[in-house]
């Protein structure tokens, strides 16, 4: 078995990541999961959440939006709508977005069409803030 | 013969026009580069998603998702992608003509064809000829994934509600700076990409179930297709405008040359006449 995972992380805007990593963790539809080299073929959808990978003893954090995660033969393909590295996140913007979403949610009832979008915005802002707090750890 | 003053005026005005077309060409070139980068950047995502979809759809026989099922086609929706601004050669005219041709040819096949336009130009052209059920204006200058997704979601909603049975996308595909291909793509129902039959498909662990994954993936696929088409259209638009402005600048330069020649001739003629008058005046005094 190979000892590394080949990870490709792509968004509609660009290829974020194409690297060999030791370990990868993400939030799937049924909860958080980790993948090590030698994993069985696996396909899942991702929720708004945090994606962490370990490379050479270093941990890297990313905030990702809705997407897909596929493992096949130690090749990992991650398709997400947006992905941001911890150091790319604009904390001020995330905070502002959080405030806006909270305001909007107060006014809306769960039946409204935009309720779900606002809820997702809230979740995204929370994840961003959570990830931004974790800088790359040695 | 035109007077010297009027020729001079024309030269100045053509020069001004050339300055504008040159500037527009430069702007388009810069925008084209960015648009081209976006097209290239979006490709891996669309390709990967198509692969995953193909694999899933193949292993999932007789999917229940309405987006995959063929219905008896009666109503069609045509999404026409044009630009918001003109001055880009035959870019919009070609698309509009293709749209008209499509409607003419398919009239026998479908009981009803509705049209949705993206971009002001297509809307203005087609509104007098066809019932337009929706126009998306001002989305192209600052194109982002969420706007494309919104369009796709509305299309999918209409499809699921059986407002139309087939959806086509008509846009300019980006081939090169000089050429755009008018492309008609069937958006719905989805026809999954054929993968090679012998290809070994490993047993996947699916989380959640295969069907649920597929149901989630299909609308995303539509979004990505729409996004890609819009990106290509934007890149094509800038390419077309650049070529159009380039030839306009060339024509202006040519015209300035001709006018300058005419101006010099007229000036020469005026000098000659004046000289003749002076000489003949002097002669008559002498005599």
């Amino acid at each position: 078995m190979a000892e590394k995972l080949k990870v490709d992380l792509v968004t509609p805007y660009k290829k974020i990541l194409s690297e060999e990593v030791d370990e990868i963790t993400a939030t799937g539809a049924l909860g958080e999961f980790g993948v090590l080299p030698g994993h069985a073929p696996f396909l899942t959808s991702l929720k708004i959440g945090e994606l962490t990978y370990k490379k050479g003893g270093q941990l890297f954090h990313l905030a990702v939006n809705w997407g897909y995660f596929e493992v096949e033969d130690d090749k990992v393909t991650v398709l997400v709508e947006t992905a941001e590295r911890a150091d790319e996140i604009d904390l001020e913007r995330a905070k502002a977005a959080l405030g806006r979403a909270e305001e909007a949610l107060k006014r809306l009832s769960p039946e409204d069409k935009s309720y779900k979008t606002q809820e997702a915005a809230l979740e995204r802002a929370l994840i961003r803030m959570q990830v931004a707090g974790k800088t790359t750890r040695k | 013969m035109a007077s010297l003053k009027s020729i001079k005026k024309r030269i100045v005005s053509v020069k001004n026009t050339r300055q504008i077309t040159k500037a527009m060409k430069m702007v388009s070139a810069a925008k084209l580069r960015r648009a081209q980068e976006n097209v290239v950047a979006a490709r891996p995502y669309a390709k990967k998603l198509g692969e995953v979809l193909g694999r899933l759809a193949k292993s999932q026989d007789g999917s229940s998702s309405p987006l995959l099922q063929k219905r008896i086609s009666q109503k069609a929706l045509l999404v026409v992608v044009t630009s918001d601004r003109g001055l880009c050669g035959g870019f919009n005219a070609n698309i509009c003509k293709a749209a008209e041709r499509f409607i003419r040819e398919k009239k026998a096949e479908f009981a009803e064809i509705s049209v949705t336009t993206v971009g002001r130009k297509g809307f203005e052209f087609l509104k007098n000829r066809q019932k337009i059920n929706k126009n998306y204006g001002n989305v192209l200058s600052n194109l982002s994934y969420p706007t494309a997704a919104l369009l796709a979601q509305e299309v999918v909603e209409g499809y699921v509600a059986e407002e139309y049975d087939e959806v086509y996308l008509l846009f300019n595909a980006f081939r090169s700076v000089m050429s755009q291909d008018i492309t008609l793509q069937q958006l719905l129902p989805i026809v999954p990409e054929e993968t090679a039959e012998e290809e070994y498909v490993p047993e996947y662990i699916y989380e959640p179930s295969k069907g649920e994954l597929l149901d989630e993936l299909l609308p995303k696929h539509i979004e990505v297709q729409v996004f890609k088409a819009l990106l290509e259209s934007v890149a094509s638009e800038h390419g077309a405008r650049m070529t159009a402005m380039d030839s306009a600048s060339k024509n202006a330069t040519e015209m300035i040359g001709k006018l300058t020649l005419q101006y010099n001739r007229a000036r020469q003629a005026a000098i000659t006449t004046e000289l003749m008058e002076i000489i003949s005046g002097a002669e008559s005094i002498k005599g």
Side-chain angles (χ1 to χ4, degrees):
Chain A
M1 275 297 168
E3 282 158 27
K4 296 264 184 190
L5 286 165
K6 172 95 182 65
V7 176
D8 282 307
L9 197 153
V10 282
T11 71
Y13 299 106
K14 61 178 183 194
K15 203 165 201 165
I16 301 268
L17 195 70
S18 183
E19 275 184 277
E20 306 241 293
V21 308
D22 300 314
E23 187 189 337
I24 186 160
T25 338
T27 320
L30 302 183
E32 202 167 305
F33 63 91
V35 173
L36 288 166
H39 198 282
F42 178 56
L43 182 70
T44 183
S45 56
L46 293 177
K47 286 201 299 196
I48 296 166
E50 194 182 333
L51 187 132
T52 313
Y53 64 95
K54 202 165 159 189
K55 192 186 167 192
Q58 251 181 303
L59 273 174
F60 298 88
H61 301 276
L62 290 138
V64 297
N65 208 336
W66 186 95
Y68 267 79
F69 189 99
E70 189 190 22
V71 192
E72 190 198 342
D73 198 19
D74 286 339
K75 264 198 341 238
V76 178
T77 312
V78 189
L79 298 171
V80 285
E81 275 176 10
T82 61
E84 285 152 330
R85 288 173 185 279
D87 47 5
E88 283 172 2
I89 292 169
D90 189 341
L91 201 58
E92 290 303 311
R93 227 188 99 194
K95 272 184 187 155
L98 181 73
R100 269 202 311 278
E102 272 174 347
E103 276 299 306
L105 282 179
K106 264 182 217 155
R107 277 185 281 108
L108 295 166
S109 67
E111 286 85 41
D112 276 328
K113 211 181 166 191
S114 58
Y115 190 81
K116 268 202 170 141
T117 20
Q118 290 299 340
E119 222 172 31
L122 184 81
E123 226 173 305
R124 273 200 300 275
L126 281 174
I127 285 294
R128 280 206 181 106
M129 283 163 67
Q130 184 190 327
V131 172
K134 295 180 189 169
T135 38
T136 309
R137 240 177 290 150
K138 293 262 156 81
Chain B
M1 183 168 269
S3 75
L4 282 179
K5 208 177 155 198
S6 73
I7 297 177
K8 188 94 201 166
K9 244 171 137 183
R10 279 197 69 194
I11 292 178
V12 170
S13 95
V14 174
K15 266 189 184 157
N16 283 337
T17 312
R18 185 177 62 174
Q19 221 158 30
I20 294 167
T21 55
K22 259 192 181 162
M24 277 183 81
K25 186 195 150 194
M26 235 91 95
V27 171
S28 292
K31 281 188 177 168
L32 172 71
R33 210 175 45 241
R34 253 212 327 263
Q36 224 171 331
E37 277 164 17
N38 285 342
V39 170
V40 172
R43 267 182 199 153
Y45 186 82
K47 194 171 160 262
K48 287 262 160 67
L49 200 62
E51 280 170 18
V52 174
L53 179 81
R55 205 175 303 130
L56 262 176
K58 211 172 86 178
S59 55
Q60 176 88 359
D61 298 319
S63 163
S64 55
S65 174
L67 301 187
L68 277 170
Q69 271 166 356
K70 275 207 175 99
R71 292 199 290 255
I72 300 156
S73 300
Q74 284 186 325
K75 287 170 281 180
L77 175 74
L78 182 67
V79 182
V80 184
V81 186
T82 56
S83 71
D84 280 330
R85 274 179 235 167
L87 289 181
C88 42
F91 179 82
N92 290 314
N94 289 343
I95 275 286
C96 292
K97 264 186 232 152
E100 277 200 309
R101 201 181 322 127
F102 175 86
I103 292 163
R104 228 181 12 249
E105 280 168 12
K106 299 278 178 173
K107 219 160 211 163
E109 214 175 298
F110 299 106
E112 196 190 321
I113 300 173
S114 34
V115 178
T116 294
T117 53
V118 181
R120 198 169 57 87
K121 285 283 157 185
F123 175 67
E124 276 171 11
F125 179 86
L126 290 165
K127 73 177 171 194
N128 301 325
R129 295 161 170 80
Q130 197 70 31
K131 198 185 98 224
I132 308 271
N133 63 348
K134 184 141 193 195
N135 173 48
Y136 296 84
N138 276 331
V139 297
L140 295 165
S141 54
N142 204 353
L143 185 64
S144 66
Y145 188 78
T147 29
L150 189 74
L151 199 167
Q153 275 156 19
E154 281 176 24
V155 168
V156 169
E157 270 167 31
Y159 181 81
V160 172
E162 305 205 1
E163 278 169 39
Y164 15 85
D165 305 309
E166 267 179 45
V167 180
Y168 290 92
L169 192 61
L170 187 67
F171 66 102
N172 275 297
F174 185 74
R175 186 80 356 153
S176 72
V177 177
M178 301 291 286
S179 73
Q180 298 85 37
D181 283 350
I182 289 175
T183 312
L184 182 71
Q185 187 189 2
Q186 184 179 342
L187 209 55
L188 282 165
I190 296 170
V191 185
E193 270 174 56
E194 285 293 319
T195 46
E197 278 304 314
E198 304 94 72
E199 201 190 328
Y200 166 69
V201 182
E203 264 310 301
Y204 273 87
I205 302 169
Y206 293 101
E207 209 175 87
S209 74
K210 237 188 238 180
E212 272 173 70
L213 271 179
L214 199 59
D215 286 346
E216 231 179 299
L217 185 71
L218 291 171
K220 289 288 159 188
H221 176 70
I222 299 293
E223 284 175 18
V224 171
Q225 292 301 321
V226 170
F227 184 57
K228 213 179 102 200
L230 294 183
L231 281 179
E232 294 225 9
S233 173
V234 169
S236 302
E237 179 197 336
H238 291 309
R241 182 168 295 122
M242 204 178 103
T243 344
M245 286 303 120
D246 188 40
S247 57
S249 303
K250 266 189 205 141
N251 287 344
T253 309
E254 208 177 287
M255 196 157 178
I256 289 167
K258 272 188 196 155
L259 284 172
T260 313
L261 188 69
Q262 212 182 349
Y263 176 76
N264 286 339
R265 273 198 191 134
R267 193 173 55 103
Q268 192 62 54
I271 292 168
T272 314
T273 358
E274 260 172 55
L275 270 177
M276 295 279 274
E277 274 163 15
I278 293 166
I279 291 166
S280 59
E283 283 293 318
S284 64
I285 291 167
K286 240 196 252 166

